[in-house]
Amino acid sequence: MNTYYAAATTMLHCVDGALGVMRGVGDLRNNLIGTVEHGAFRGLVALRRLDLSNNRIGCLSPEMFVDLGNLSKLNLSGNIFSSLPVGLFTHLLSLEVLHFSTESLFCDCQLEWLLLWARANGVLLGNDTLCVHPTHLRGLEVHNLRETQLRCDEPLELPLFQLIPSQRQVVFRGDRLPLQCTVSYLDPSVTLLWHHNGHVVHSNEDRGVYVEDTLVHDCCLLTGTFAERSWNVAGVLGDHKLTGTVAES
């Protein structure tokens, strides 16, 4: 029997410059938007409020908000990102209110910059913006956090760690059983590796072992696929363990 480990370590709908604006309000809620292109709002200097909530936006960059120097209220809640990159709101010189609650919002040292920026610029972080991870900060309002609470030196806790299939599988000798591991992509330090007996596994066609390149989806998920023939397999990350057993016959 052989044991394998999947370990993580430390356009749908695009908005473009043709967005219609009514009375300085851009309402793009509930539109299944997955990508906001750089310069998407270029020329919309009169925009005062922008609602991008409840979409599928995972990738965020300052270039999204070029020409929005008069924007006073921004709602990014209900999207799929886990954190906000440093300097994201560089172009939003008039911002007064910000909402960014998500189902996987991670409150660690990567958000420290946001607290400092919000306080220095008088930006109100909405009361509905709550920490989801790590567990000991879950449910706390972000605007009430202290910088000392936002740490990155604690054991890694991922919003998502999933191995498919996650239950026992039965195949015949020689059958190819692919395993797909998906984990949260919190920052570039997070990588996905497959291990066997303490060693990193690489593709070996002679043995029928195939490890596909890891893919980053929407700047928030890492997906890797491993395939082997008729072995016992497992996915392990710290104290998290998902096991699928394959019996040879």
Side-chain angles (χ1 to χ4, degrees):
M1 301 181 78
N2 300 276
T3 303
Y4 279 79
Y5 302 95
T9 61
T10 338
M11 256 199 218
L12 198 64
H13 182 141
C14 294
V15 183
D16 59 31
L19 171 69
V21 179
M22 295 291 290
R23 297 180 182 177
V25 178
D27 188 352
L28 292 168
R29 294 172 292 173
N30 307 308
N31 273 301
L32 293 179
I33 296 170
T35 302
V36 179
E37 297 177 340
H38 292 179
F41 305 103
R42 191 178 300 277
L44 301 180
V45 295
L47 198 62
R48 295 282 296 169
R49 291 187 292 168
L50 177 61
D51 193 341
L52 287 166
S53 64
N54 300 321
N55 284 292
R56 296 286 299 169
I57 301 169
C59 297
L60 300 166
S61 71
E63 290 72 27
M64 292 168 50
F65 304 117
V66 170
D67 273 2
L68 296 184
N70 291 313
L71 194 73
S72 61
K73 184 176 181 179
L74 174 63
N75 192 344
L76 294 172
S77 294
N79 283 285
I80 61 175
F81 56 82
S82 297
S83 190
L84 301 176
V86 176
L88 178 62
F89 307 116
T90 298
H91 299 287
L92 304 184
L93 304 179
S94 301
L95 195 64
E96 298 174 358
V97 181
L98 173 65
H99 301 267
F100 59 97
S101 178
T102 75
E103 293 182 353
S104 59
L105 187 63
F106 211 99
C107 295
D108 64 2
C109 64
Q110 294 186 81
L111 273 189
E112 183 178 353
W113 77 270
L114 182 74
L115 289 185
L116 298 174
W117 169 84
R119 291 166 185 168
N121 291 277
V123 177
L124 174 65
L125 304 181
N127 293 336
D128 59 340
T129 301
L130 310 176
C131 297
V132 180
H133 300 279
T135 303
H136 69 276
L137 295 181
R138 182 170 297 165
L140 297 185
E141 297 175 2
V142 173
H143 72 91
N144 283 332
L145 294 176
R146 302 184 304 275
E147 288 86 349
T148 54
Q149 292 177 279
L150 299 175
R151 303 174 58 183
C152 287
D153 57 356
E154 298 176 346
L156 180 63
E157 179 182 325
L158 294 175
L160 175 67
F161 178 75
Q162 181 183 63
L163 185 68
I164 300 176
S166 61
Q167 300 178 349
R168 294 178 182 272
Q169 304 291 311
V170 177
V171 297
F172 293 101
R173 184 186 299 276
D175 282 355
R176 184 175 184 268
L177 178 65
L179 299 173
Q180 185 180 81
C181 186
T182 301
V183 300
S184 299
Y185 182 63
L186 301 178
D187 62 67
S189 69
V190 177
T191 58
L192 177 62
L193 301 172
W194 293 92
H195 289 260
H196 174 229
N197 292 337
H199 301 286
V200 177
V201 177
H202 301 283
S203 292
N204 187 327
E205 294 186 11
D206 293 337
R207 296 186 58 220
V209 176
Y210 302 92
V211 179
E212 297 183 4
D213 292 339
T214 301
L215 301 176
V216 179
H217 303 278
D218 300 316
C219 302
C220 59
L221 293 176
L222 280 179
T223 298
T225 301
F226 162 86
E228 175 54 60
R229 302 188 185 280
S230 303
W231 282 4
N232 177 67
V233 293
V236 177
L237 175 64
D239 293 329
H240 303 277
K241 184 170 183 178
L242 300 171
T243 303
T245 299
V246 178
E248 294 186 325
S249 60

